[in-house]
């Protein structure tokens, strides 16, 4: 068995290679090849579907429950504020810079190293399956959700996202709505009491001010935000409709279907959800994974940001090295020590969990 120092150095080398290999959502085939090579070098059989790669521990036993380790290897596109080459792995003052270094490359390579550590272990009470998934950033159809049917039933999961190695025991779901407010088109010079743009004002006010009654202990309130608006094509024509896009972050007190119903009952507009599948998630504080993390000095919190937890039906915990505030930022980076500590904490936490 490799020691953690060797695993850490190999993980950092892999992360550098991943950074220097573009992997935008739906375009991850080259980073998928790097991950395949990682498994080959470590003599671990793997499976692949599209750009998702997964592997099972050597002593997999169908009679045992299964624990999922998951993180993604796709990235967003770099923003224009970068001052460093986003596709060059640059190490300066203990920081590893590069697109995807923090979100979620550091988590991915740390979990891969952790999986290698446990791969050949015998007499484990749980099976372990490691999935390096695609299309997380775009919530695409060929991501983790597409391979769940190929996996055994999952009892619980650790999803690798940058949390400063604290325990995100709940995560808000996401409901994106296309809202169309209709009116009557006319010449701007004529009186028109059915102006779609004016009719949109109370709709936006409702989204801004509606108070959802149920407040989650971990996730707080449901949050609705109008993020896009579009209407009209020229100055002298009152448009027939005004389109809004609304981003709704759903706590674990509501289902996406319940939220959609509330919106439709209160808004005078056509409302169409883009997806109903990105649900909120949580894991009880009494679960063994959480207890193992707390025993190691980790704190718990609720996360407002979306991850592949949203497609899981099992109990799941979001946990990983790096800081969510660096995600999608210019000159993204992760501290090298965060990867080292992440691997150590993942391993220790799972060792303690598997002994319970």
């Amino acid at each position: 068995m490799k020691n953690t120092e060797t695993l850490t150095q190999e993980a950092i080398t892999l992360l550098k290679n991943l950074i220097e290999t573009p992997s935008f959502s739906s375009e991850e085939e080259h980073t998928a090849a790097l991950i395949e090579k990682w498994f080959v070098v470590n003599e671990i059989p793997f499976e692949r579907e599209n750009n998702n790669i997964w592997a099972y521990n050597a002593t997999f036993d169908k009679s045992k429950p299964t624990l999922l380790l998951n993180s993604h290897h796709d990235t967003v596109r770099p923003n224009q504020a970068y001052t460093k080459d986003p596709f060059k792995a640059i190490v300066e003052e203990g920081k590893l810079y590069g697109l995807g270094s923090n979100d979620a490359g550091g988590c991915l390579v740390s979990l891969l190293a952790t999986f290698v550590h446990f791969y050949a272990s015998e007499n484990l009470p749980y099976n372990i399956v490691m999935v390096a998934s695609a299309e997380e950033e775009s919530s695409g159809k060929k991501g983790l959700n597409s391979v769940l049917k190929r996996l055994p039933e999952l009892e619980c999961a650790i999803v690798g996202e940058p949390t400063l190695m604290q325990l995100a025991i709940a995560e808000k779901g996401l409901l994106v709505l296309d809202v169309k407010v209709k009116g009557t088109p006319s010449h701007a010079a004529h009186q028109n009491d059915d102006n779609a743009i004016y009719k949109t004002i109370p709709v936006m006010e409702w989204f801004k001010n509606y108070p959802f009654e149920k407040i989650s202990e971990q996730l707080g309130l449901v949050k609705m935000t109008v993020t896009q608006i579009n209407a009209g094509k020229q100055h002298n024509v009152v448009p027939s409709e005004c389109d809004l896009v609304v981003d709704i972050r759903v706590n674990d007190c509501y289902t996406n279907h319940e939220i959609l119903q509330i919106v439709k009952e209160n808004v005078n507009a056509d409302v169409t959800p883009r997806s109903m599948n990105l649900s909120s998630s949580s894991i009880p504080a009494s679960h063994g994974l959480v207890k193992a993390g707390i025993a190691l000095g980790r704190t718990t919190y609720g996360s407002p940001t979306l991850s592949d937890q949203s497609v899981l039906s099992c109990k799941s915990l979001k946990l990983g090295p790096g800081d969510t505030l660096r995600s999608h930022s210019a000159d993204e980076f992760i501290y090298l020590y965060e990867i080292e500590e992440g691997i150590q904490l993942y391993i220790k936490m799972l060792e303690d969990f598997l002994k319970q």
Side-chain angles (χ1 to χ4, degrees):
M1 181 185 293
K2 296 180 180 180
N3 60 40
T4 55
E5 182 177 348
T6 299
L7 285 171
T8 299
Q9 292 309 310
E10 291 179 353
I12 291 172
T13 298
L14 175 60
L15 179 53
K16 290 178 179 178
N17 290 333
L18 291 171
I19 288 170
E20 296 188 346
T21 306
S23 57
F24 307 134
S25 288
S26 305
E27 302 174 19
E28 313 96 341
E29 58 272 13
H30 297 300
T31 48
L34 290 175
I35 296 165
E36 286 183 327
K37 183 178 179 180
W38 166 277
F39 284 123
V40 170
V41 168
N42 285 283
E43 300 181 337
I44 297 175
F46 63 88
E47 298 181 52
R48 176 173 175 174
E49 182 174 280
N50 297 311
N51 294 325
N52 304 284
I53 304 99
W54 66 96
Y56 300 97
N57 62 300
T59 58
F60 182 89
D61 182 344
K62 290 183 179 180
S63 68
K64 295 179 180 179
T66 299
L67 163 69
L68 168 68
L69 304 179
N70 163 250
S71 191
H72 64 95
H73 58 104
D74 64 314
T75 71
V76 297
R77 295 182 182 273
N79 61 60
Q80 295 181 340
Y82 265 81
T83 64
K84 302 179 185 295
D85 186 342
F87 302 111
K88 186 174 182 181
I90 300 170
V91 177
E92 292 180 357
E93 298 180 347
K95 299 176 182 177
L96 174 56
Y97 289 91
L99 182 66
S101 56
N102 180 78
D103 184 15
C107 303
L108 174 63
V109 301
S110 297
L111 282 172
L112 285 167
T114 301
F115 178 75
V116 170
H117 174 85
F118 286 100
Y119 172 71
S121 299
E122 298 182 352
N123 302 315
L124 293 174
Y126 278 74
N127 299 312
I128 302 176
V129 56
M130 173 72 213
V131 180
S133 54
E135 297 194 7
E136 189 274 346
E137 295 290 3
S138 61
S139 301
K141 294 181 179 180
K142 294 181 180 180
L144 176 62
N145 54 308
S146 69
V147 300
L148 290 175
K149 62 183 180 295
R150 301 279 302 275
L151 306 180
E153 182 178 355
L154 302 173
E155 196 281 327
C156 57
I158 295 177
V159 176
E161 290 284 344
T163 69
L164 293 172
M165 289 305 289
Q166 304 304 327
L167 310 171
I169 63 173
E171 176 186 277
K172 282 189 173 180
L174 173 62
L175 183 61
V176 179
L177 303 179
D178 290 305
V179 179
K180 186 182 296 291
V181 180
K182 295 181 178 180
T184 302
S186 70
H187 194 293
H190 300 154
Q191 180 63 29
N192 186 340
D193 295 327
D194 195 38
N195 185 315
I197 295 176
Y198 293 160
K199 290 174 66 176
T200 300
I201 295 172
V203 173
M204 291 194 294
E205 288 289 339
W206 184 87
F207 281 115
K208 177 182 178 182
N209 297 320
Y210 182 79
F212 285 94
E213 295 180 357
K214 300 177 184 178
I215 302 174
S216 167
E217 180 179 351
Q218 292 292 336
L219 297 173
L221 294 164
V222 173
K223 185 177 186 297
M224 299 193 293
T225 307
V226 176
T227 55
Q228 293 175 259
I229 182 169
N230 183 59
K233 294 182 179 179
Q234 61 189 67
H235 76 90
N236 59 349
V237 177
V238 175
S240 62
E241 57 191 40
C242 182
D243 296 316
L244 304 176
V245 177
V246 184
D247 178 297
I248 305 179
R249 303 292 165 152
V250 183
N251 66 23
D252 52 348
C253 299
Y254 295 90
T255 67
N256 287 356
H257 289 278
E258 289 172 330
I259 297 294
L260 179 61
Q261 187 61 34
I262 291 171
V263 172
K264 287 186 172 181
E265 289 174 354
N266 286 275
V267 168
N268 183 21
D270 293 341
V271 179
T272 305
R274 294 186 179 179
S275 171
M276 299 297 290
N277 299 324
L278 303 176
S279 303
S280 60
S281 58
S282 63
I283 187 170
S286 59
H287 192 279
L289 279 175
V290 181
K291 290 167 66 176
I294 292 174
L296 293 173
R298 305 294 94 189
T299 58
T300 63
Y301 73 103
S303 172
T305 57
L306 196 71
S307 74
D308 270 334
Q309 277 186 289
S310 63
V311 302
L312 296 173
S313 57
C314 66
K315 301 299 182 184
S316 58
L317 174 70
K318 189 160 67 176
L319 173 70
D323 187 341
T324 186
L325 296 179
R326 300 181 211 140
S327 299
H328 305 180
S329 65
D331 297 335
E332 181 183 347
F333 71 89
I334 190 168
Y335 287 100
L336 294 176
Y337 78 81
E338 290 178 314
I339 297 172
E340 180 180 8
E341 289 183 353
I343 294 170
Q344 292 173 352
L345 278 165
Y346 276 142
I347 290 174
K348 178 59 176 170
M349 182 175 155
L350 283 177
E351 285 177 342
D352 293 348
F353 168 65
L354 295 170
K355 289 177 184 177
Q356 294 176 9

